[in-house]
Structures are given as C-alpha cells and as structure tokens.
Amino acid sequence: MNATESNSTTTTTLKELLAHWQGHRRLTRKTIEAFPEDKLFTHSIGGMRSFGEITIELLKMGAPGAAGISTGKWISFDDFNMGGMSSKPTTKKEVLQIWDWSTEKINEYWKQVTAERLRETDIAYGVYEGTVLSHLQYFVDNEIHHRGQGYVYLRSLGIEPPFFWER
C-alpha cells in the first residue's frame, strides 16, 4: 500500500444518492422552465433533437428507471401507468406536469431500494447489463449531458441558463 491508498471505505448512503439524482432533476426542471413555449419543441442546432424531445428521453428514465432499480421490473415509459397523462407531451406545461409526477414516483420507488440491490447485476429494459448502481449512474450522467445541450440551446436564444451549481 502506498501513501495515497487507505484501508478505509467511503460510502454514499441511499438517501445521498437520491438527493444527488433529484438535485440534477431539479436543475433540469429549471432548464425546461427557462425555454420559451414556442422553442421547447422547435429549436435545435446542427440537426440535434429539440430540448423538448430530449426531455421526453429523460422522462423515460425517471419513474420507469426508479421502478426498475427498486423492483427489477424494467417497464417502458409508454407502458408505465401515468395516471392518464400522455407519454408524448407536446407542451411545456405537459412536460413539467409529467416531470413533477415522475419526481414523486422516483421518491416513492426509492423507499424500496436497498444497498444490496444497488450491487446486483440486472439487465435494464432487457438490453443493458450492469449493476443497478451503474444504471442509476447512467441515468444521471445522461441527464447532465442532455442538460448541457439545453444550455447551449438557451444561450443560442439569448437566454441565461440556470447556474449548474444550483441543484
């Protein structure tokens, strides 16, 4: 063992993981709010998808992802029971309504997650094999990446995006 290694273990609690995920979701919600209604689904740069389309991708990973993490049942967004809301929102109001619903569902499902579950290997949506923790990390990393695209879009519209540290 060299001087920079240690025998100690650092752990992140389930509560801290949820707070980290939800912090990023709060910031993405602020990013959605910053978009003018008429630009959310129409504005893009260089052939990339609109931020509205990107948010639908992120919604597909929210509540359904939390359900998969907690139960091992990886249900697609389109098949997820959303209480009558459309899985294909077309307005900012609809996106934000589903976003808020998804946030509540994530919190509900998270109550079932155990530390042992995070270490299990699972195949998310029948395709992506990895530990449950790696799936969660992907959800967060993907959201950060796409929120960055949203920031570029906002700046191209002359709008200051939310500060990234205000999670």
Side-chain angles (χ1 to χ4, degrees), residues 6-150:
S6 170
N7 286 330
S8 66
T9 302
T10 302
T11 57
T12 302
T13 68
L14 292 169
K15 184 178 178 180
E16 290 167 332
L17 280 172
L18 178 60
H20 181 76
W21 188 10
Q22 291 290 29
H24 281 289
R25 289 181 52 79
R26 280 190 301 277
L27 183 53
T28 301
R29 189 185 196 290
K30 290 178 185 179
T31 306
I32 298 165
E33 288 175 324
F35 269 84
E37 176 71 38
D38 66 332
K39 300 296 184 193
L40 183 62
F41 284 96
T42 61
H43 185 73
S44 71
I45 297 173
M48 293 189 297
R49 294 175 291 165
S50 71
F51 196 61
E53 292 170 290
I54 289 169
T55 60
I56 293 172
E57 176 185 320
L58 299 177
L59 285 167
K60 290 179 180 185
M61 293 182 202
I69 287 170
S70 67
T71 67
K73 295 181 178 111
W74 297 90
I75 303 164
S76 78
F77 184 60
D78 292 334
D79 294 331
F80 207 78
N81 180 355
M82 296 175 41
M85 289 183 286
S86 170
S87 63
K88 295 174 180 42
T90 58
T91 66
K92 183 164 75 169
K93 180 181 178 181
E94 290 173 333
V95 168
L96 291 171
Q97 181 181 17
I98 297 169
W99 195 268
D100 294 342
W101 170 86
S102 183
T103 297
E104 291 175 23
K105 286 295 181 186
I106 290 168
N107 289 337
E108 288 176 28
Y109 280 111
W110 200 258
K111 293 173 187 174
Q112 302 171 46
V113 177
T114 64
E116 294 76 24
R117 173 72 180 135
L118 292 178
R119 289 190 286 278
E120 291 176 11
T121 298
D122 203 343
I123 303 174
Y125 305 105
V127 179
Y128 309 105
E129 184 174 350
T131 64
V132 173
L133 178 60
S134 73
H135 296 313
L136 171 61
Q137 290 168 324
Y138 175 80
F139 297 161
V140 174
D141 291 347
N142 189 59
E143 184 166 330
I144 294 166
H145 160 74
H146 285 310
R147 188 174 57 242
Q149 288 176 272

